Amino acid sequence: MNILIFNQKGGVGKTTTALNLGVGLSRFGDFPVTLVDLDPQTHLTAALGLKAEDSFWNVTDWLANRAGTPHVIGEKLSLITGDPEPAITPNLVHFPIKHDGFFIIDAPPVWNQTVAHLMSQADWILTPLEPEFLSMQGVSRLFQTMERQKISRNRLRLLLCRFDARLVVHREVRESLTQRFNDNLLGGVIRKSVRLAEAPSYGWSIFDYAPDSSGANDYLSLTNYWLRQKHLKT
């Protein structure tokens, strides 16, 4: 199953979601998981305790279809490391046809040819967003972009991150999103958590850093959602 994590707005929990969803799927599922750090900021690579400049084969090589293997992180988890200066290549990479697990891409917060190409191939597009009213405008623009690219909106799933039920605005935004995008909005949310912000600085997922935290519980719920989708597909 191929999942592209994308939002044209940065700082919404995209890399945090890629990290913890990838670790969760590899730990609680029976499938191999490959993460791809497509963002030139290489935050996903750093969050897994690696340095992009130390990689001999990275996302640029993958995009250019050069032979190589991802960096092994754990028993069922691997990473195609990021590149702070990804080379522009005329080739367009394809998701691995025979991948029997999860292939998860942390995309940059910009729309470009590579993102469009990978989105057209993805089984699902997962869009993390913050509970603010401007987020709904961003979702509407994303739907318009997908429509122009002839990408079905049925493949899009929206994930509210940094949600605080004590805040009226967060509850109002969730209600508005439910009314406007009910079929695309995931029922679970990722609650605001200091532990989620702290974990990457240690090169750990939330499951290692604070396994009993609200963040770990929320990402476990998200993990279980995608495991169900995988089983339904197979």
Side-chain angles (χ1 to χ4, degrees):
M1 178 176 287
N2 305 318
I3 303 173
L4 180 75
I5 301 180
F6 176 75
N7 191 324
Q8 288 178 270
K9 184 179 184 301
V12 294
K14 192 168 52 63
T15 298
T16 299
T17 295
L19 168 66
N20 293 300
L21 178 59
V23 171
L25 289 170
S26 69
R27 188 165 300 180
F28 303 110
D30 298 321
F31 309 97
V33 178
T34 299
L35 291 169
V36 182
D37 190 354
L38 192 63
D39 194 331
Q41 297 181 89
T42 69
H43 287 170
L44 180 58
T45 300
L48 285 164
L50 301 174
K51 293 182 179 180
E53 56 268 25
D54 293 339
S55 299
F56 295 100
W57 187 83
N58 60 23
V59 70
T60 293
D61 299 301
W62 178 67
L63 289 171
N65 292 310
R66 289 192 283 266
T69 56
H71 188 97
V72 175
I73 302 296
E75 182 180 354
K76 290 181 291 184
L77 181 65
S78 59
L79 170 72
I80 299 178
T81 54
D83 187 343
E85 297 181 359
I88 298 175
T89 171
N91 299 322
L92 286 174
V93 73
H94 293 276
F95 283 106
I97 297 175
K98 295 183 179 180
H99 194 275
D100 59 354
F102 289 89
F103 207 78
I104 301 173
I105 295 183
D106 182 19
V110 293
W111 183 264
N112 56 37
Q113 183 184 19
T114 300
V115 169
H117 177 72
L118 292 172
M119 186 179 289
S120 69
Q121 296 184 60
D123 297 307
W124 298 97
I125 301 100
L126 177 58
T127 297
L129 65 160
E130 290 187 299
E132 55 186 37
F133 283 102
L134 291 178
S135 296
M136 289 187 288
Q137 294 183 8
V139 173
S140 297
R141 288 195 299 270
L142 178 57
F143 276 140
Q144 293 170 7
T145 301
M146 292 173 65
E147 185 177 356
R148 288 196 299 271
Q149 297 291 323
K150 294 181 171 56
I151 300 170
S152 172
R153 64 184 288 172
N154 293 333
R155 285 188 274 160
L156 180 68
R157 290 296 179 267
L158 307 173
L159 174 67
L160 269 177
C161 295
R162 298 171 185 164
F163 183 80
D164 188 341
R166 297 170 298 180
L167 299 180
V168 173
V169 65
H170 285 200
R171 299 197 302 270
E172 289 179 344
V173 168
R174 186 179 188 182
E175 178 61 27
S176 296
L177 285 168
T178 301
Q179 292 176 3
R180 293 181 59 181
F181 310 111
N182 181 60
D183 292 339
N184 303 97
L185 181 66
L186 293 176
V189 300
I190 306 300
R191 287 167 286 180
K192 188 174 182 179
S193 168
V194 174
R195 298 291 182 264
L196 281 172
E198 293 173 343
S201 64
Y202 295 93
W204 292 348
S205 74
I206 191 62
F207 300 110
D208 298 299
Y209 182 70
D212 297 323
S213 65
S214 62
N217 290 332
D218 293 344
Y219 275 108
L220 178 58
S221 295
L222 183 67
T223 295
N224 288 331
Y225 171 84
W226 289 109
L227 287 174
R228 290 193 297 272
Q229 297 303 312
K230 176 68 172 175
H231 286 298
L232 287 172
K233 186 178 180 182
T234 55

